[in-house]
Amino acid sequence: MHDLMFGHTLRMLRTTAGISLRNLAKKMDVSPAYLSQIERGKLPPPTHNRIAKIAETIGIPLSLLIEMSHRPNPEVICC
């Protein structure tokens, strides 16, 4: 679930910024298939260096993406 939340948010940020999946993948030096799997929650958030490249490309604070990548599953935070 956590990976899906990160991926969904990443996709939203990317599309809002008007950046294609292929363009972001190229800037990250990864395949579009790899990035697509992250966005679909099939793979965990990428490494710190790749997260930094995403933040730079999308134009958002690195700290925001780092926090998102470490955010626990909300289903675990319970009473």
Side-chain angles (χ1 to χ4, degrees):
M1 178 71 165
H2 170 253
D3 298 341
L4 180 60
M5 288 177 52
F6 177 85
H8 177 76
T9 304
L10 175 58
R11 179 179 288 157
M12 180 190 67
L13 291 168
R14 178 182 58 74
T15 58
T16 299
I19 299 170
S20 72
L21 181 91
R22 288 187 185 278
N23 189 20
L24 181 57
K26 184 177 181 178
K27 299 250 186 212
M28 292 174 60
D29 198 28
V30 298
S31 73
Y34 168 77
L35 185 56
S36 177
Q37 288 181 331
I38 290 172
E39 288 188 351
R40 290 181 290 130
K42 303 293 183 189
L43 291 175
T47 64
H48 179 80
N49 290 341
R50 288 182 175 158
I51 289 174
K53 193 64 178 172
I54 293 169
E56 177 187 325
T57 303
I58 293 177
I60 60 172
L62 174 59
S63 59
L64 175 68
L65 279 184
I66 294 293
E67 180 183 327
M68 261 181 27
S69 71
H70 296 297
R71 189 173 297 154
N73 183 340
E75 294 175 357
V76 174
I77 302 173
C78 174
C79 307

